[in-house]
Amino acid sequence: MQSTPSAWSDADAYLADLLVGHDPHLEAALDAQREAGLPEIEVAPVGGKLLNLLVRISGARRVLEIGTLGGYSTIWMARAVGPEGRVVTVEAEADNAAIARTSIDAAGVGDRVDIRVGRGEDVLPTLEGGFDLVFIDADKESNTLYLDWAARLGHPGTVVVLDNIGRDGEIVRDDTTDPKVIGTREGLQMLGEDPRFDATALQTVGVKGWDGIALAVVV
Ligand code: DHB
Ligand code: MG
């Protein structure tokens, strides 16, 4: 078997079929997002399930998501927090938030999800802290700002997940001019140096190509 993007994708689909299965609400959320012309950059099905498991393994009841997009990952995490849990999700684009609202409500978890529309830098300072898990999946240029807020709005033991740390291996380029790669590198550097975090990162291949996540705990 050749290690090619199409082989990664086929293997990812195989794993998703075996371990994630099919879910009409999640698939409807993706259809709605696609029909509205939103970028198809949500987490992969196996990644959505990973977020769901991380919430359950950590026992998180208050989850903060930065970057709602169409609500796909939000639904995965809202299911995991349980009926008394809450997900606050921050979305800069009002049109995205409206699509997410409809999909999240249709999935039956609307009462657990509070969508805050606005740029992270404006919305995050207005939030009450105490989040048990923070998922950062927004504009990569602001990763350090979001990590700072994750630490401030979390507590010792808060789980932090930072999406898209692989970027086709471009992260090794210290001469890059791509603002997304620069933001990704700055986020990783912060996770390594800032004493508020203890972190690692895993590269992934699959339906999203070559990418990965960083996983951290607030110490
Ligand atoms: C991009 C953003 C994402 O959150 C993602 O998962 C993949 C790509 C991007 O902006 O390029
Ligand atoms: Mg992402």
Side-chain angles (χ1 to χ4, degrees):
M1 192 68 90
Q2 290 273 341
S3 181
T4 61
S6 84
W8 307 340
S9 202
D10 289 348
D12 206 4
Y14 168 78
L15 295 173
D17 268 343
L18 280 179
L19 302 172
V20 182
H22 290 276
D23 179 286
H25 295 302
L26 288 167
E27 283 163 22
L30 295 182
D31 289 343
Q33 179 177 307
R34 193 177 309 110
E35 278 161 28
L38 269 54
E40 293 177 49
I41 55 171
E42 74 284 345
V43 296
V46 294
K49 181 76 178 277
L50 176 67
L51 291 170
N52 177 282
L53 291 171
L54 285 172
V55 171
R56 289 157 58 197
I57 291 165
S58 65
R61 287 287 171 267
R62 288 201 70 205
V63 168
L64 171 62
E65 177 178 60
I66 306 174
T68 315
L69 193 64
Y72 179 77
S73 47
T74 323
I75 294 169
W76 270 117
M77 293 191 289
R79 287 177 172 172
V81 293
E84 304 304 318
R86 292 292 176 269
V87 179
V88 176
T89 183
V90 180
E91 174 54 47
E93 303 289 338
D95 292 348
N96 295 0
I99 290 155
R101 181 82 265 167
T102 303
S103 295
I104 292 162
D105 290 349
V109 288
D111 55 343
R112 304 177 189 179
V113 178
D114 180 3
I115 305 181
R116 301 290 180 93
V117 181
R119 291 194 54 77
E121 63 186 316
D122 300 321
V123 173
L124 292 166
T126 71
L127 299 180
E128 195 183 325
F131 290 102
D132 307 309
L133 184 144
V134 182
F135 176 48
I136 302 171
D137 191 16
D139 58 302
K140 311 311 166 194
E141 297 84 339
S142 304
N143 273 347
T144 56
L145 179 93
Y146 299 150
L147 285 168
D148 179 55
W149 279 106
R152 290 161 71 160
L153 295 170
H155 52 74
T158 293
V159 177
V160 180
V161 182
L162 177 67
D163 200 25
N164 310 117
I165 59 84
R167 303 215 76 96
D168 292 316
E170 292 289 315
I171 50 168
V172 300
R173 294 190 179 272
D174 56 13
D175 61 347
T176 186
T177 56
D178 180 338
K180 292 185 186 189
V181 177
I182 293 170
T184 302
R185 286 171 54 89
E186 288 172 348
L188 289 166
Q189 191 174 343
M190 182 168 174
L191 286 173
E193 290 176 355
D194 189 317
R196 295 175 296 175
F197 299 107
D198 199 12
T200 189
L202 293 172
Q203 299 181 74
T204 54
V205 294
V207 294
K208 298 197 64 179
W210 174 13
D211 208 345
I213 58 162
L215 184 63
V217 67
V218 175
V219 296

